[in-house]
């Protein structure tokens, strides 16, 4: 029995499913999760001592590479001064100023400890600001596990939400409408039916939780126009795309200014920092200034902020995103070429440092096309790559992530493993 097997068996005795977040359990791909002992640069090692080229990067945070010396040094220095004070620190000011500088649509920002907390708080703020209850989200987008976000498309004309999770009362879901990603007509119709009841539209402007899916410019522009016209808050959930697809996030690529933005992952550099921010006139509704309550013991934690600030400094180095984008594009184009040579139906896409791989002829343009992909083929490819020392996201419905440490040699090693893996599929 491998160390991973014995650790997994033991973990399941004390933790539901043996994991602290469901996607880590390999339920979608089958097999035994790898228990990671350490990580460095583009690599991590499992409990059996096997090295992997890592393409999840903690689901986005490890953009400068694992255990970057500058980040580790910043964390060690901060930790030596104490771990948490429950009182304000200068570091939180520096982080807030940096976020406002890098994301111009954010005039004020509140730090929290997870993307879920950031999205949940931002939605409460939008409801408080507008005095309205309805929120629109899109099928396939994930905004954390707050009750009102665990909602799937309802039946019937108005697509009122139904819970996707046990434990979520129908009443908590009924104020969430779930529409189709990239469907402008449906958005227009919904706003014309009830625009004056909509508090916010929340969207992943580059989606990464159904696999990578790009929003069309028309989709986001329609959203922006309708929210302005009807007084609804346009909220970009850039927890994943923020500082990942570009320094200014997806909003800088599309040239669209949301009213609020949700951030996470990269701004913590691997430690728990997330944030929500936007127009100052909206943010001032937050306690202690205004009537919308929100709080957090570890919000703005000094050690986590040190990791985040160090990471934000590194990604602002000249050419960082040109290089990251080039490496990611080299990866996805190389994968497509290898699949073609093997005669496997496959496509791929990349936006900045995140990518999608699809076992379908064309790059999907909506949720239905993603769902039509060959999941079994993905699972076979996932395990063939895992055996070859390449760790992809353990689900056909997740995006992948490249770091600044994924050099040409690392990408070439990955593509060699892919050629062998595609050959196995074609056999
Ligand atoms: P957290 O609460 O997991 O920090 O963030 C929730 C969240 C919110 N918004 C977006 C766009 C996100 O991608 C996420 C979290 N992403 C997943 C990756 N599919 C985290 C991985 C996991 O759940 O373990």
């Amino acid at each position: 029995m491998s160390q991973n097997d014995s650790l997994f068996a033991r973990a399941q005795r004390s933790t539901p499913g043996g994991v602290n977040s469901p996607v880590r359990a390999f339920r979608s791909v089958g097999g035994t999760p790898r228990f990671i002992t350490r990580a460095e640069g583009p690599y991590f090692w499992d409990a059996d001592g096997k090295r992997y080229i890592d393409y999840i990067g903690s689901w986005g945070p490890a953009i400068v590479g694992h255990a970057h010396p500058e980040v580790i040094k910043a964390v060690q220095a901060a930790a030596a001064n104490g771990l948490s004070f429950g009182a304000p620190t200068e570091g939180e000011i520096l982080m807030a100023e940096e976020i406002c500088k890098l994301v111009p649509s954010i005039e004020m920002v509140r730090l929290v400890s997870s993307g879920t907390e950031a999205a949940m708080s931002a939605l409460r703020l939008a409801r408080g600001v507008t005095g309205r209850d309805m929120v629109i989200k899109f099928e396939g987008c994930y905004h954390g596990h707050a009750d009102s976000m665990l909602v799937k498309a309802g039946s019937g004309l108005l697509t009122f939400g139904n819970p996707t999770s046990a434990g979520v009362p129908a009443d908590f879901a009924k104020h969430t409408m779930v529409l189709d990603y990239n469907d402008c007509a449906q958005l227009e119709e919904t706003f014309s039916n009830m625009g004056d009841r909509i508090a916010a539209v929340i969207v992943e402007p580059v989606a990464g939780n159904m696999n990578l899916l790009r929003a069309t410019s028309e989709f986001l522009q329609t959203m922006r126009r309708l929210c302005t016209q009807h007084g609804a808050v346009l909220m970009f959930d850039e927890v994943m795309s923020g500082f990942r697809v570009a320094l200014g996030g997806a909003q800088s690529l599309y040239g669209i200014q949301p009213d609020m933005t949700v951030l996470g992952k990269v701004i913590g550099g691997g430690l728990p920092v997330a944030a929500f921010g936007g127009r100052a006139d909206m943010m001032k509704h937050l306690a202690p200034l205004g009537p919308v309550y929100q709080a957090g013991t570890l919000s703005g934690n000094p050690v986590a902020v040190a990791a985040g600030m160090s990471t934000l400094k590194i990604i602002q180095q000249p050419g960082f995103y040109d290089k990251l984008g080039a490496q990611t594009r080299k990866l996805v184009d190389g994968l497509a070429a290898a699949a073609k040579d093997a005669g496997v139906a496959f496509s791929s896409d990349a936006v900045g440092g995140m990518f999608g791989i699809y076992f379908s002829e064309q790059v999907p343009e909506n949720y239905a096309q993603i769902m039509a992909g060959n999941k079994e083929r993905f699972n076979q490819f996932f395990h063939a790559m895992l055996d070859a020392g390449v760790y992809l996201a353990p689900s056909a419905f997740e995006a992948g992530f490249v770091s600044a440490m994924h050099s040409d040699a690392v990408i070439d090693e990955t593509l060699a493993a892919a050629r062998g893996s595609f050959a196995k599929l074609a056999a």
Side-chain angles (χ1 to χ4, degrees):
M1 176 185 266
S2 82
Q3 284 299 311
N4 294 305
D5 289 324
S6 56
L7 285 171
F8 191 40
R10 187 173 147 204
Q12 292 177 79
R13 291 198 291 274
S14 55
T15 299
V19 293
N20 287 302
S21 199
V23 72
R24 304 176 189 172
F26 275 27
R27 306 279 285 213
S28 181
V29 292
T32 300
R34 300 312 193 253
F35 282 70
I36 305 307
T37 56
R38 74 179 185 90
E40 187 177 347
Y43 306 114
F44 55 32
W45 286 260
D46 73 9
D48 288 331
K50 179 172 178 159
R51 191 202 74 174
Y52 299 88
I53 298 172
D54 172 26
Y55 283 104
I56 59 168
S58 182
W59 300 100
I63 194 167
V64 299
H66 288 296
H68 190 292
E70 288 177 37
V71 178
I72 297 300
K73 191 161 162 247
V75 167
Q76 288 170 331
N81 291 326
L83 302 182
S84 179
F85 314 125
T89 62
E90 183 184 8
E92 293 160 78
I93 304 171
L94 297 175
M95 170 67 86
E97 290 173 347
E98 198 73 359
I99 290 171
C100 293
K101 179 188 83 175
L102 295 173
V103 188
S105 68
I106 297 180
E107 296 172 341
M108 296 193 91
V109 63
R110 174 62 59 87
L111 303 181
V112 294
S113 300
S114 74
T116 292
E117 192 181 356
M120 173 185 77
S121 306
L123 288 165
R124 181 183 311 130
L125 176 60
R127 287 176 162 142
V129 165
T130 59
R132 301 173 181 177
D133 294 339
M134 301 306 291
V135 164
I136 290 174
K137 74 175 290 287
F138 299 92
E139 189 152 34
C141 287
Y142 176 66
H143 306 293
H145 62 89
D147 284 345
S148 65
M149 288 292 102
L150 295 180
V151 175
K152 64 179 181 296
S155 56
L157 179 64
L158 295 178
T159 64
F160 286 113
N162 298 323
T164 53
S165 166
V168 175
D171 277 357
F172 285 29
K174 71 181 184 184
H175 297 300
T176 306
M177 278 182 281
V178 184
L179 302 184
D180 294 329
Y181 198 85
N182 279 337
D183 186 332
C184 299
Q186 201 184 43
L187 203 53
E188 295 270 10
E189 181 190 7
T190 303
F191 266 91
S192 63
N193 287 341
M194 50 170 55
D196 59 351
R197 292 173 51 195
I198 297 169
V201 176
I202 184 169
V203 67
E204 289 182 63
V206 171
N209 286 286
M210 57 179 117
N211 205 323
L212 169 70
L213 183 60
R214 296 167 185 258
T216 62
S217 289
E218 186 198 5
F219 182 53
L220 295 180
Q221 283 160 11
T222 302
M223 216 175 279
R224 176 64 280 173
R225 171 172 52 81
L226 290 169
C227 284
T228 303
Q229 189 183 332
H230 293 271
V233 174
L234 177 57
M235 194 176 293
F236 277 9
D237 180 344
E238 297 224 45
V239 165
M240 186 181 281
S241 57
F243 308 106
R244 169 57 64 177
V245 300
L247 184 57
Q251 57 194 272
S252 69
L253 294 181
Y254 285 91
I256 292 184
Q257 182 130 335
D259 301 308
M260 275 190 217
T261 299
V262 182
L263 296 171
K265 297 183 190 284
V266 168
I267 63 171
L271 292 188
V273 179
F276 63 103
R279 285 172 33 190
D281 65 307
M282 292 185 173
M283 294 299 288
K284 288 176 177 174
H285 286 251
L286 272 179
L289 286 185
V292 179
Y293 193 70
Q294 182 274 331
T297 301
L298 298 178
S299 296
N301 175 272
V303 181
V305 162
M309 284 300 284
S310 176
T311 299
L312 290 180
K313 184 163 170 262
I314 296 166
I315 66 174
Q316 292 181 67
Q317 287 166 356
F320 182 91
Y321 284 91
D322 293 340
K323 180 70 175 162
L324 184 71
Q327 294 306 94
T328 311
R329 181 49 59 185
K330 175 184 165 91
L331 171 71
V332 297
D333 289 350
L335 290 172
K340 188 173 181 202
D341 291 348
V344 173
F346 177 90
S347 55
S348 57
D349 195 10
V351 184
M354 70 192 266
F355 66 91
I357 59 174
Y358 320 92
F359 282 84
S360 51
E361 291 290 351
Q362 303 297 324
V363 174
E365 294 175 347
N366 58 46
Y367 177 77
Q369 291 175 10
I370 285 185
M371 290 299 126
N374 189 327
K375 181 173 177 281
E376 289 65 39
R377 270 283 159 106
F378 170 84
N379 291 354
Q380 292 165 359
F381 183 69
F382 171 84
H383 280 289
M385 292 290 269
L386 195 67
D387 292 345
V390 177
Y391 193 107
L392 299 170
S395 163
F397 309 114
E398 294 283 357
F401 304 92
V402 172
S403 84
M405 301 304 283
H406 283 72
S407 63
D408 283 345
V410 171
I411 301 294
D412 290 344
E413 186 179 344
T414 304
L415 295 178
R419 279 189 287 277
S421 300
F422 283 123
K424 285 181 185 169
L425 267 59

